[in-house]
Amino acid sequence: MAVSRSKEINTINGLIDKIFSYNPEANFDLLQRAYAYSKEAHIKQKRVEGAPYIEHPLAVAAILTDMCMDSTTIAAGLLHDTVEDTPTTIEDIKGMFGEKVAFLVESLTKLSKMEFKTSEEAYAENFRKIFLAMAKDIRVILIKFADRLHNLRTLEFLSEEKRKKIAKETLEIYAPLANRLGIGWLKTEFEDLSFKFLEPEIYGELAYKVDKKREEQESYLNETKEMVEKKLAEAKIFGNISGRVKHYYGIYQKMLKQKIPFEEVYDVLALRIITDTKANCYAILGIIHALWTPVPGRFKDYIGAPKSNMYQSIHTTVIGPKGERVEFQIRTHKMDNIAEGGIAAHWRYKERGPIDEKNNKYFLWLRDIVQAQKDMPDAKEFLEAVKVNIFPDTVYVFTPKGDVIELQQDSTPVDLAYHIHTQIGNQCTGAKVNGKLVPLKHTLENGDTVEIISTPGHHPSRDWLKFVRTQKAKTRIKQWVRAEERKKGVSLGKELLERVLRKHGLSPDLVNSKEMLEAAKHFKISTQEDLLIAVGYGKLSAHQVVNKLLPESEKDEKPLLRKEAQKTEPEKGIRIKGVDNIMFHRSKCCYPIPGEAVVGFVTRGRGVSIHTSDCPNLESLATDKDRLVDVEWVANGDSDLTYTIKLSVYTVDKTGMLADISEVISASGININYLDASSTRNKQAYINLILEVKNKQQFNDIFKKLSQVSGVIEVKRVKTT
């Protein structure tokens, strides 16, 4: 049953009448009591514009009736601010209105009572809480939608700063989420109201232009509608046709995307045809395509391949009368109810709770998000994952059995493998797309038939994180990588501790002893596994730990591993901020030198490796941010200390070239550690050098001098991956 949307219901009687129109069996006693309680609780409060506060919960309840919601949800909408803004407790709500209403009110209250260090942190953490509450009962977000929509409708009473903040948040999260949940009308209103407050001048100009053409456009739509109605009557096919001009924000996005003015946006007109059967949907499509030429690439069959939010419809754009573009949407009554109501249609007329098995398949994306939050302690990282999952760009692929699977756009076979099952993802070794073998990073396209090849015993690779797109795939790969790194950390930590224990004449069995754990408490470590991992990752040296077990007379003042690390190359000029006695070394992929921006990476068993901030390996290392540490160069007073760097000199291949380069280097007082030269077929040569320099300034000087040598084409500093 379709219910008209009304923006204003000013009395409880008006609300009751509207609910009765779609659900005569509703619990009207519950609703009357909830209204009376809310009105009394808020009796002394006013809205910012000066209106009695009860108008807000009444408006929220009215919006929930637009979704044809059940009595429990509407009652919670009437009561949603009582616990937050009045002396009312959750126990009061539970005693008077039952556990279901209390759960919804409590879930919404918790979202507003959290305290954070920054507004950005609050913004991100709020959405983590919303998604956890949604997983328990999707009605939490529907009430939140209604609350947000009424606030948007009255946003002009707030300051400009607050208006823009709320509008931006709505456009970034609430509108896409409403779309992901299939509530089309709500998504449209969220977008248009947010657009109005974020870009008031552009919105006003666009609204004026649309309204100016409205009469002409409505006349055109009526003319087109009559032509289609005549053809449907001739074919004896039922079809109810309605026309509309696309909403403002949709037009604005088209202008931005295509970089065109309003006057060049042609397909702003749309006709919707509601019929009685799926077969008639396709019959009507045939009639429309027989009448007018379809626009290539603008046909979508969401009946044959429904969207994950339950949406079903046929979309086609044609060159209609007078050469105008017109979009047609064709669907049945049931499809239209779902298209407008989305997940809200699941609760119409009835009291329901969590998502049931029948509808569970439509919310796999929500399950993935909730699972992801468990592995993301950083709320801001979680929010980015949410944004990726709720934006609607999708691709539809087929399994060899013919099942349709919806994935995020630009997904790969690995994403599909994890979508099917974690074990299939972990053991994925290859894929066939449309019968042909493809690389695992191959981008899937609409209509592809994909067969996953898996091998028992195979494991995922960290490199997969560079190309997978879905949050589920990223989360599962990171889980496996972390688990494996912990295993390696434990093994290496044990080996290092046993080695140092033997060195001091102690039994290796002490690794698992109570004495070892007591020693570990000094470093604020409470479990054996965490201790071994700390040693294996180099966050603690094995010597530091063992030193706590030795008698005072046997303790060394300097850590053994630190001394051993410095035998190969002294690193007196580097300090790890805030940490002492940890071994470290300069990375051989980029050879950092004093004066350059550097960063440290905690390795497994070899302490901290020092890299330049632009090292090509940092991108892959940064996937585990917990292992990156701040480091800095410090003055050491040792003028004889030098640092190796690699250079590649591209030159003309001529006699004396090598001697000229060597002479420039020697004259600068720089030692050549290694030299290798090779000629190319086109009479040019490469000279590879490893030099010893004191700092960045000396390096810059020799780099400049080499570049100025006659016959030198290019000088490059070598950094390897």
Side-chain angles (χ1 to χ4, degrees):
M1 177 186 294
V3 175
S4 61
R5 288 188 290 278
S6 171
K7 292 189 178 182
E8 294 295 335
I9 291 180
N10 298 318
T11 66
I12 183 59
N13 290 333
L15 185 73
I16 295 294
D17 289 343
K18 188 171 181 185
I19 296 169
F20 186 84
S21 70
Y22 69 85
N23 185 11
E25 304 299 321
N27 188 343
F28 295 111
D29 174 64
L30 174 70
L31 297 168
Q32 291 275 12
R33 289 189 293 110
Y35 172 76
Y37 190 95
S38 181
K39 184 177 181 180
E40 181 62 28
H42 294 294
I43 193 71
K44 296 180 180 180
Q45 296 175 325
K46 299 281 187 183
R47 295 271 287 167
V48 176
E49 68 272 22
Y53 195 89
I54 188 60
E55 290 188 10
H56 172 63
L58 190 59
V60 168
I63 293 167
L64 291 169
T65 65
D66 291 340
M67 303 180 200
C68 299
M69 293 307 294
D70 59 282
S71 308
T72 300
T73 310
I74 298 170
L78 287 166
L79 296 163
H80 77 278
D81 277 338
T82 53
V83 175
E84 181 183 353
D85 295 339
T86 77
T88 302
T89 68
I90 285 296
E91 290 305 314
D92 294 334
I93 299 295
K94 187 182 295 183
M96 294 191 67
F97 303 102
E99 289 191 6
K100 291 182 180 179
V101 172
F103 169 77
L104 295 174
V105 173
E106 184 177 25
S107 296
L108 290 156
T109 303
K110 284 180 178 178
L111 299 178
S112 305
K113 282 197 169 183
M114 295 179 291
E115 295 182 2
F116 304 96
K117 297 174 185 176
T118 67
S119 59
E120 185 180 12
E121 182 185 351
Y123 174 64
E125 188 61 32
N126 262 321
F127 282 100
R128 183 198 290 275
K129 298 296 183 183
I130 283 177
F131 276 88
L132 290 177
M134 278 172 62
K136 293 180 180 177
D137 195 321
I138 206 77
R139 291 176 293 181
V140 172
I141 194 63
L142 299 181
I143 300 170
K144 190 72 178 174
F145 279 161
D147 179 47
R148 174 53 59 105
L149 183 56
H150 184 246
N151 286 334
L152 276 175
R153 288 174 177 173
T154 56
L155 208 55
E156 67 269 17
F157 298 106
L158 299 181
S159 67
E160 182 180 359
E161 182 182 357
K162 286 185 177 179
R163 288 200 302 266
K164 288 191 177 296
K165 177 180 178 293
I166 292 171
K168 183 174 183 289
E169 183 180 88
T170 303
L171 202 56
E172 286 186 353
I173 296 291
Y174 284 96
L177 187 52
N179 182 57
R180 198 71 167 85
L181 293 171
I183 312 174
W185 69 268
L186 186 60
K187 173 243 186 190
T188 296
E189 192 164 351
F190 274 155
E191 288 181 341
D192 278 353
L193 286 172
S194 300
F195 177 34
K196 175 182 177 181
F197 291 107
L198 284 172
E199 301 286 354
E201 291 184 8
I202 299 174
Y203 176 89
E205 183 181 352
L206 188 57
Y208 171 77
K209 289 179 178 179
V210 170
D211 289 342
K212 190 176 179 182
K213 292 184 68 176
R214 189 174 298 278
E215 186 176 337
E216 174 190 336
Q217 290 170 332
E218 288 179 351
S219 173
Y220 178 85
L221 284 173
N222 287 332
E223 177 187 340
T224 308
K225 176 183 171 184
E226 288 173 5
M227 294 176 69
V228 177
E229 284 176 335
K230 181 181 177 182
K231 290 294 183 182
L232 293 183
E234 290 175 2
K236 296 182 180 180
I237 295 175
F238 167 77
N240 183 16
I241 307 174
S242 59
R244 66 181 176 87
V245 177
K246 290 187 177 179
H247 68 294
Y248 300 138
Y249 186 71
I251 296 172
Y252 176 61
Q253 287 298 101
K254 190 175 287 290
M255 291 165 60
L256 288 180
K257 189 175 181 179
Q258 299 180 7
K259 299 179 181 178
I260 55 176
F262 171 74
E263 290 72 22
E264 293 180 22
V265 180
Y266 297 114
D267 50 344
V268 299
L269 306 175
L271 284 165
R272 182 175 299 163
I273 305 176
I274 310 300
T275 188
D276 49 0
T277 67
K278 186 188 293 187
N280 278 345
C281 290
Y282 291 100
I284 292 170
L285 174 68
I287 289 171
I288 292 168
H289 282 184
L291 272 172
W292 299 293
T293 304
V295 177
R298 296 302 303 274
F299 170 73
K300 298 286 185 183
D301 182 3
Y302 295 119
I303 294 178
K307 291 187 177 183
S308 63
N309 60 11
M310 301 186 286
Y311 180 88
Q312 286 184 287
S313 185
I314 292 173
H315 291 192
T316 187
T317 300
V318 300
I319 306 298
K322 302 174 186 176
E324 291 278 352
R325 289 190 176 197
V326 185
E327 180 185 80
F328 283 88
Q329 297 176 355
I330 310 163
R331 52 200 186 224
T332 65
H333 288 290
K334 183 179 178 181
M335 293 173 189
D336 190 53
N337 283 336
I338 292 174
E340 287 299 294
I343 185 56
H346 178 71
W347 276 271
R348 287 184 177 178
Y349 325 129
K350 297 182 181 180
E351 306 292 333
R352 300 191 185 184
I355 299 164
D356 58 27
E357 287 302 315
K358 180 181 176 183
N359 291 287
N360 184 53
K361 64 179 181 178
Y362 296 114
F363 297 97
L364 291 174
W365 62 274
L366 177 57
R367 305 293 187 205
D368 290 346
I369 288 175
V370 172
Q371 179 60 40
Q373 69 84 28
K374 296 177 183 177
D375 303 294
M376 293 183 186
D378 184 348
K380 288 185 284 185
E381 183 184 356
F382 172 70
L383 180 58
E384 290 307 309
V386 168
K387 288 181 180 180
V388 166
N389 274 276
I390 65 175
F391 280 101
D393 292 334
T394 54
V395 61
Y396 297 90
V397 298
F398 295 92
T399 67
K401 293 181 179 180
D403 296 328
V404 179
I405 294 179
E406 179 183 350
L407 296 169
Q408 186 181 328
Q409 198 168 37
D410 297 329
S411 288
T412 67
V414 176
D415 291 292
L416 175 60
Y418 278 105
H419 177 91
I420 297 169
H421 195 277
T422 298
Q423 188 173 356
I424 293 175
N426 285 344
Q427 297 180 353
C428 178
T429 52
K432 288 183 180 180
V433 174
N434 304 323
K436 295 181 179 179
L437 280 169
V438 297
L440 289 179
K441 63 181 179 181
H442 175 83
T443 300
L444 300 178
E445 297 181 359
N446 274 318
D448 282 346
T449 297
V450 188
E451 178 187 351
I452 301 298
I453 302 169
S454 59
T455 304
H458 183 73
H459 302 300
S461 164
R462 178 191 286 276
D463 290 338
W464 289 1
L465 291 169
K466 296 176 182 178
F467 58 76
V468 294
R469 298 287 295 172
T470 59
Q471 191 55 49
K472 183 174 183 178
K474 291 177 182 177
T475 301
R476 295 295 186 269
I477 295 166
K478 286 179 180 178
Q479 281 178 342
W480 190 90
V481 169
R482 287 191 188 113
E484 283 302 299
E485 288 188 342
R486 285 183 70 85
K487 285 181 188 176
K488 291 177 182 176
V490 167
S491 176
L492 189 55
K494 184 179 180 183
E495 182 183 332
L496 290 170
L497 279 171
E498 288 176 347
R499 187 185 301 167
V500 176
L501 285 167
R502 288 191 187 97
K503 203 166 194 175
H504 286 276
L506 298 173
S507 170
D509 294 338
L510 279 171
V511 167
N512 300 317
S513 67
K514 290 181 180 179
E515 291 84 357
M516 184 65 78
L517 274 180
E518 285 298 317
K521 287 179 182 178
H522 175 80
F523 304 101
K524 297 180 180 179
I525 294 174
S526 57
T527 71
Q528 180 196 16
E529 185 175 276
D530 288 340
L531 172 65
L532 296 177
I533 288 169
V535 174
Y537 279 177
K539 292 180 180 179
L540 285 174
S541 75
H543 177 79
Q544 285 177 288
V545 178
V546 173
N547 220 28
K548 297 297 175 184
L549 300 176
L550 299 174
E552 287 296 324
S553 59
E554 293 184 32
K555 289 184 179 181
D556 293 333
E557 297 201 10
K558 294 182 181 179
L560 293 174
L561 293 179
R562 179 66 177 275
K563 289 195 290 185
E564 289 172 3
Q566 290 184 352
K567 286 178 185 177
T568 55
E569 184 176 10
E571 304 292 4
K572 298 176 183 176
I574 296 174
R575 181 176 68 195
I576 301 169
K577 294 182 181 178
V579 182
D580 295 321
N581 296 328
I582 288 185
M583 68 179 190
F584 53 91
H585 60 277
R586 284 194 313 140
S587 167
K588 293 183 180 179
C589 55
C590 55
Y591 286 108
I593 54 178
E596 290 187 304
V598 286
V599 66
F601 178 75
V602 180
T603 67
R604 292 189 293 272
R606 296 183 61 239
V608 177
S609 62
I610 311 300
H611 298 256
T612 60
S613 59
D614 61 350
C615 175
N617 286 323
L618 270 187
E619 183 179 352
S620 60
L621 296 177
T623 56
D624 194 344
K625 295 179 182 177
D626 292 341
R627 295 170 65 185
L628 295 178
V629 294
D630 292 331
V631 297
E632 60 186 349
W633 296 102
V634 293
N636 53 54
D638 189 348
S639 59
D640 295 327
L641 195 61
T642 59
Y643 300 83
T644 55
I645 54 129
K646 284 185 177 182
L647 286 179
S648 179
V649 185
Y650 183 39
T651 72
V652 174
D653 188 4
K654 65 175 185 177
T655 304
M657 192 76 247
L658 193 57
D660 291 345
I661 289 173
S662 299
E663 186 178 345
V664 168
I665 296 171
S666 297
S668 300
I670 294 173
N671 185 46
I672 300 175
N673 225 348
Y674 173 84
L675 185 150
D676 173 62
S678 59
S679 299
T680 64
R681 292 181 179 179
N682 56 353
K683 294 188 178 180
Q684 292 172 341
Y686 283 99
I687 301 172
N688 298 312
L689 301 158
I690 295 181
L691 307 180
E692 294 181 3
V693 298
K694 294 180 179 180
N695 50 43
K696 187 178 180 181
Q697 181 59 52
Q698 190 179 41
F699 165 72
N700 288 341
D701 288 344
I702 191 61
F703 190 95
K704 184 177 179 181
K705 289 176 181 177
L706 289 174
S707 300
Q708 293 171 346
V709 172
S710 177
V712 170
I713 301 170
E714 184 181 25
V715 181
K716 281 186 179 180
R717 183 175 177 184
V718 178
K719 294 184 179 183
T720 59
T721 56

